[in-house]
Amino acid sequence: MAAKSSRSPFDRLRQHYEDKERKCIECGYVDTEGNWRVTKRGREIHYRHLCPRCDAIDTRILRYD
């Protein structure tokens, strides 16, 4: 039987972005580190990635009620 994960849904989504969303939307650079920063602002969760090559910022925003 598999052990339950204690990570939150937000942590799992960040991990998904770090594993799958590595290609820069501006220059096409594939970041092998793929670190996404997560911040909460009111009723929004912001996921951001800064491209180490061109400094483009990729942002995903989740809004909840």
Side-chain angles (χ1 to χ4, degrees):
M1 184 177 229
K4 279 189 172 181
S5 174
S6 61
R7 295 185 317 165
S8 75
F10 300 114
D11 289 334
R12 289 193 305 269
L13 184 56
R14 180 186 48 80
Q15 187 65 51
H16 168 78
Y17 289 150
E18 289 180 353
D19 291 344
K20 305 293 183 190
E21 303 292 328
R22 295 183 174 191
K23 187 174 182 179
C24 177
I25 58 173
E26 295 294 324
C27 72
Y29 177 75
V30 177
D31 183 3
T32 57
E33 297 296 317
N35 295 323
W36 283 75
R37 184 172 168 215
V38 182
T39 56
K40 181 180 181 291
R41 294 182 183 166
R43 294 188 170 272
E44 296 179 341
I45 305 292
H46 293 240
Y47 292 87
R48 293 179 191 237
H49 179 261
L50 176 66
C51 177
R53 179 191 275 170
C54 73
D55 292 331
I57 298 173
D58 188 359
T59 302
R60 312 290 167 87
I61 300 173
L62 300 176
R63 293 176 181 89
Y64 59 94
D65 295 324

